[in-house]
């Protein structure tokens, strides 16, 4: 079972990370969260005060970057970075740059058991020939409720209607952009994650055992 690739696509806050982490630890697959790369690039642009309405300025900055970190820190989880990542993700040159980083990641780790890679276009564009494709589906209201609880539990201030509005706005941006919009990839298995995580895990385990022999 070497070098298998599992792709996980789905909208914001649909539980892709939790599902990826579960697969990664149970099957010893290397996890790559492609959203981190978009978020990291957004942070670089923000800190360098790049005008993100100007494609030439973004291109110039990308040409100056030697590497992008894969680290998940609190700094890249803010609402400002979520929105900026979604904004710059519309540009094809940004997507090509991030896709290259993903291909390098797989190349560098090719002695690993396999990979679980999550994002918006992984099964539809980046790894079209993946061994198994999953698409996670959860209603916006449930996603907003979960995100709201997460923020309150971690001691942050949060307003449910505001979160729901932001989630719907990000869905619209991710689904309606011209390049690599969020779609259900051809051949993907749809995973209903509206219910308990235990139920989702049960479905995924059955699917993986059947498909990854
Ligand atoms: O998964 P996330 O919330 O960390 O992703 C942040 C943004 O990055 C998302 O709104 C759109 C963009 N993104 C993308 O366009 N394609 C990906 N494969 C991953 C993320």
């Amino acid at each position: 079972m070497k070098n298998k690739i599992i792709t996980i696509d789905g909208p914001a806050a649909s539980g892709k990370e939790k599902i990826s982490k579960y697969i990664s630890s149970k099957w010893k697959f290397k996890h790559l969260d492609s959203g981190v790369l978009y978020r990291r690039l957004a942070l670089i642009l923000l800190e360098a005060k790049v005008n993100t309405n100007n494609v030439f300025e973004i291109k110039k900055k990308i040409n100056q970057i030697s590497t992008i970190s894969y680290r998940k820190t609190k700094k890249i989880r803010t609402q400002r970075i979520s929105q900026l990542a979604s904004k710059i993700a519309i540009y094809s040159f940004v997507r090509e740059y991030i896709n290259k980083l993903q291909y390098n990641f797989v190349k560098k780790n090719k002695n690993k058991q396999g990979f679980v890679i999550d994002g918006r276009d992984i099964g539809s564009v980046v790894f079209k020939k993946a061994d198994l494709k999953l698409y996670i589906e959860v209603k916006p209201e449930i996603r907003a409720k979960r995100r709201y609880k997460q923020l309150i539990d971690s001691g942050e201030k949060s307003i449910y209607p505001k979160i729901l509005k932001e989630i719907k706005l990000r869905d619209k941006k991710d689904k309606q952009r011209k390049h690599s919009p969020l779609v259900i990839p051809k051949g993907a298995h749809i995973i209903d994650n509206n219910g308990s995580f235990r139920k989702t895990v049960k479905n995924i385990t059955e699917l993986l055992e059947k498909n990854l022999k």
Side-chain angles (χ1 to χ4, degrees), residues 1 5-6 24 39 41 62 68 90 92-93 98 106 110 117 122 132 142 145 153 173 182 195 203:
M1 232 221 299
I5 294 185
I6 303 174
S24 164
R39 286 172 181 272
L41 180 59
I62 286 180
I68 281 201
I90 64 165
S92 59
F93 66 92
I98 303 278
V106 167
K110 64 171 178 280
I117 306 170
I122 311 303
L132 185 66
I142 294 183
K145 214 165 116 188
D153 288 350
K173 272 210 173 122
L182 171 66
N203 287 342

Side-chain angles (χ1 to χ4, degrees), residues 72-107:
K72 292 183 185 187
T73 55
K74 245 186 159 176
K75 243 181 163 180
I76 61 163
R77 303 303 323 170
T78 64
Q79 216 53 42
R80 176 87 189 87
I81 292 296
S82 301
Q83 284 161 1
L84 195 56
S86 192
K87 182 180 172 185
I88 60 169
I90 64 165
Y91 300 122
S92 59
F93 66 92
V94 165
R95 307 202 68 83
E96 279 161 24
Y97 174 68
I98 303 278
N99 291 355
K100 246 184 236 161
L101 296 174
Q102 296 184 60
Y103 296 134
N104 285 341
F105 179 88
V106 167
K107 221 160 130 189

Side-chain angles (χ1 to χ4, degrees), residues 9 12-13 16 33-36 38-39 77 82 85-86 89 95 102 118-122 170 174 177 180:
D9 290 296
K16 298 186 298 289
D33 176 347
S34 63
V36 167
Y38 286 92
R39 286 172 181 272
R77 303 303 323 170
S82 301
S86 192
R95 307 202 68 83
Q102 296 184 60
D118 72 286
R120 303 287 188 290
D121 62 340
I122 311 303
R170 206 134 70 89
D174 292 346
R177 66 176 175 231
S180 311

Side-chain angles (χ1 to χ4, degrees), residues 12 25 34 51 60 68 72-73 88 128 131 138 163 212:
S25 84
S34 63
N51 175 4
K60 194 171 150 204
I68 281 201
K72 292 183 185 187
T73 55
I88 60 169
K128 272 187 190 161
D131 300 274
V138 185
I163 293 186
L212 289 185

